[in-house]
């Protein structure tokens, strides 16, 4: 019996030394000290012993049990401590390391200018209108008094999808779409992308942005147009800004004008910014041509209107002092983060 106990203890010690997890320790505990464990089975077999032997063996079993329990407890504590140490090591934070910073982005300067203009016109009671960038020839040219073969089409060559469909060259196409669907009073702006078969240089890009404006109602005059543009110019370029309307030709407005604003850098004296002119051209405008109104089912004897088209890149270049339009499209964050 004594030999058997010693063998059990020896085997226990070996297995204990190999146990490297709390789960394994639990297994050992069950295997040796549990109800069906090795020691219990010895106790159960004590019936066969003589009355003299029984207390001796009982004593021995108890000593072995106490030793085993003690060892398991010790090893449990040791493993727990090791686990905690490992965890602490893994979760160690070096508070002297530099922190991780996230750079926040910013609105693209074109969007900033566009949003600013939208806010201004919405404040004056305009609604935002929208139209497709892939447009029918009819809306982009024909309905705007630019029939096939019209020489003014040459300055707005574009990318044709089919004979009748193209990438719009101007947001003026939206004027027609709006007037076809809505009767006066009309007061809309349409911000959007336009396309032209232009080569890229410092002041040209095959894709750029415009904001179109259209007001149609009874009794709308050129004075209303000029007043509106004055508000626009002062808002965008400063309260001292003056505007100048130069007669021009656009097929869909009559009369038409190009609009200059007094140079915001020199106040009109002439400087590098305005190339010595004192004035900088910012948009085209005019009174909506009666034929255009008539084509959209609006009687020009009853209603009149004005329209304007603003170049967003040009305005952004002016406002931010950017001299090369290409920078807006290169996506270089060193450039973009300045705005
Ligand atoms: N669509 C013209 C362009 O892209 C700009 C323009 C001129 C728009 C006169 C207008 C306007 O609405 O009345 O060159």
């Amino acid at each position: 019996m004594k030999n058997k106990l010693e063998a059990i203890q020896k085997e226990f010690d070996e297995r204990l030394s190999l146990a490297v997890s709390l789960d394994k320790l639990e297994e050992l505990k069950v295997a040796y000290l549990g109800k069906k464990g090795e020691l219990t089975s010895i106790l159960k077999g004590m019936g066969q012993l003589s009355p003299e032997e029984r207390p001796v063996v009982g004593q021995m079993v108890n000593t072995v049990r106490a030793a085993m329990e003690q060892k398991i407890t010790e090893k449990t504590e040791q493993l727990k401590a090791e686990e905690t140490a490992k965890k602490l090591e893994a979760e160690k934070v070096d508070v002297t390391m530099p922190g991780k910073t996230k750079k926040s982005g910013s609105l693209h300067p074109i969007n900033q200018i566009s949003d600013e203009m939208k806010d201004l016109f919405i404040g004056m009671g305009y609604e935002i209108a929208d139209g497709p960038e892939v447009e029918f020839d009819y809306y982009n040219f024909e309905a705007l008094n630019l029939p096939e073969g019209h020489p003014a089409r040459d300055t707005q060559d574009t990318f044709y999808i089919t004979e009748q469909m193209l990438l719009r060259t101007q947001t003026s196409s939206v004027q027609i779409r709006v007037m076809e669907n809505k009767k006066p009073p009309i007061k809309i702006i349409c911000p959007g992308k336009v396309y032209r078969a232009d080569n890229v240089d410092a002041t040209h890009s095959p894709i750029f942005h415009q904001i179109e404006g259209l007001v149609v109602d009874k009794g709308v005059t050129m004075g209303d147009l000029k007043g509106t543009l004055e508000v626009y110019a002062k808002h965008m370029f400063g309260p001292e800004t003056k505007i100048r309307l130069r007669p021009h030709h656009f097929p869909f407005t009559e009369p038409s004008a190009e609009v200059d604003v007094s140079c915001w850098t020199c106040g009109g004296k002439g400087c590098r910014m305005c190339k010595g002119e004192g004035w900088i051209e910012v948009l085209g405008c005019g009174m909506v041509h009666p034929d255009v109104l008539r084509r959209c089912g609006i009687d020009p004897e009853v209603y009149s209107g004005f329209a304007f088209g603003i170049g967003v890149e040009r305005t952004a270049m002016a406002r931010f002092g950017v001299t090369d339009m290409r920078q807006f499209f290169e996506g270089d964050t060193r450039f973009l983060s300045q705005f």
Side-chain angles (χ1 to χ4, degrees), residues 156 170 172 175 196 210 212 250 252-253 284-286 307-309:
Q156 297 191 14
Q170 46 187 349
S172 305
Q175 289 188 31
R196 292 190 192 173
Q210 291 187 330
E212 192 78 13
F250 295 106
F252 43 93
T253 42
C285 66
F308 55 86

Side-chain angles (χ1 to χ4, degrees), residues 36-80:
K36 290 176 186 160
E38 302 267 2
L39 288 185
T40 316
S41 71
I42 289 186
L43 285 176
K44 278 179 188 156
M46 284 216 311
Q48 288 145 25
L49 299 178
S50 66
E52 297 83 53
E53 278 176 317
R54 262 183 235 160
V56 182
V57 171
Q59 179 72 35
M60 271 162 63
V61 170
N62 282 340
T63 313
V64 170
R65 169 189 287 277
M68 282 181 175
E69 272 170 356
Q70 168 83 10
K71 280 179 188 167
I72 287 184
T73 311
E74 273 168 15
K75 183 107 189 210
T76 303
E77 257 149 42
Q78 181 202 331
L79 284 183
K80 272 190 183 156

Side-chain angles (χ1 to χ4, degrees), residues 42 128 160 261 304 337:
I42 289 186
I128 307 272
Y160 283 79
V261 297
S304 56
S337 63

Side-chain angles (χ1 to χ4, degrees), residues 129-132 139 173-184 186 295-298:
D130 203 7
Y139 292 103
S173 55
V174 182
Q175 289 188 31
I176 308 298
R177 287 186 171 272
V178 169
M179 286 191 283
E180 275 185 353
N181 288 310
K182 191 174 183 296
K183 294 307 143 207
I186 291 169
R295 207 169 281 126
C296 299
I298 296 171

Side-chain angles (χ1 to χ4, degrees), residues 54-113:
R54 262 183 235 160
V56 182
V57 171
Q59 179 72 35
M60 271 162 63
V61 170
N62 282 340
T63 313
V64 170
R65 169 189 287 277
M68 282 181 175
E69 272 170 356
Q70 168 83 10
K71 280 179 188 167
I72 287 184
T73 311
E74 273 168 15
K75 183 107 189 210
T76 303
E77 257 149 42
Q78 181 202 331
L79 284 183
K80 272 190 183 156
E82 277 173 24
E83 221 162 73
T84 310
K86 238 192 253 166
K87 219 168 161 191
L88 283 178
E89 178 66 23
E91 289 172 5
K92 193 167 71 177
V93 175
D94 183 350
V95 291
T96 65
M97 291 278 280
K100 282 184 198 149
T101 51
K102 278 210 182 100
K103 277 196 196 149
S104 58
S106 58
L107 217 51
H108 193 282
I110 295 297
N111 288 350
Q112 283 182 38
I113 288 290

